Amino acid sequence: MYGELVPLGGGDPIPLLKKRLRIGRREGCDIVLNFANISGHHALMEIEEGYWFIKDLRSRNGIKVDGKRILQGLKKRVDPGVVLSIAKHEYEVAYDPTELGAYGSPPQDEQLDNLFNKSLLDRAGLERKQSK
């Protein structure tokens, strides 16, 4: 086991059983959250250098880490003890980075300067029509 998500509103902890987990409402997801405000494929969590990271998979209701919304398409590090909000559902993330192979300083989130390498239309998920 690679940690767990502990529901803040009560309920059983959700074990993190693999190093890469798809979270969503669909039955094919690794972690199924059967709530109307959860997208079919809402998020992807994976371990990098001993730390969990999460990526929003263009969900409708988003993801927050300690109350701060993460941008779609960019990975955000999820440190132990933070509150992870998937839509409106809150979980405390519990794991030990050293048990997952971490050493030295934690890896950085994806840099925001990568965000500025794309046009505003591309970042919004819209494509510009090509002129002929």
Side-chain angles (χ1 to χ4, degrees):
M1 190 164 87
Y2 300 98
E4 58 188 9
L5 299 178
V6 181
L8 293 185
D12 295 330
I14 300 169
L16 304 175
L17 299 174
K18 300 186 327 189
K19 291 183 177 185
R20 181 181 166 105
L21 300 164
R22 185 177 302 267
I23 301 170
R25 196 175 66 243
R26 293 202 178 156
E27 291 298 322
C29 291
D30 299 302
I31 296 176
V32 177
L33 300 176
N34 197 12
F35 302 105
N37 61 348
I38 300 289
S39 297
H41 294 128
H42 201 98
L44 180 68
M45 284 184 71
E46 56 189 335
I47 296 173
E48 290 183 19
E49 299 179 43
Y51 287 84
W52 279 104
F53 281 77
I54 192 161
K55 183 177 184 178
D56 189 330
L57 298 176
R58 296 182 180 248
S59 68
R60 176 169 281 171
N61 292 310
I63 298 168
K64 293 179 182 176
V65 175
D66 272 347
K68 295 180 183 174
R69 190 174 183 112
I70 65 170
L71 298 173
Q72 289 185 353
L74 295 181
K75 292 186 287 186
K76 173 74 177 150
R77 191 178 70 238
V78 182
D79 292 327
V82 302
V83 175
L84 178 63
S85 301
I86 303 171
K88 299 281 184 192
H89 308 277
E90 294 186 326
Y91 303 89
E92 180 182 344
V93 182
Y95 71 100
D96 183 352
T98 55
E99 288 181 8
L100 302 182
Y103 59 91
S105 61
Q108 294 294 313
D109 295 330
E110 288 190 342
Q111 297 296 315
L112 285 181
D113 52 4
N114 290 342
L115 179 68
F116 298 110
N117 291 338
K118 295 182 177 181
S119 73
L120 183 58
L121 288 173
D122 289 340
R123 285 186 276 155
L126 304 172
E127 293 182 23
R128 212 180 293 168
K129 290 188 178 184
Q130 300 292 327
S131 58
K132 293 183 178 182

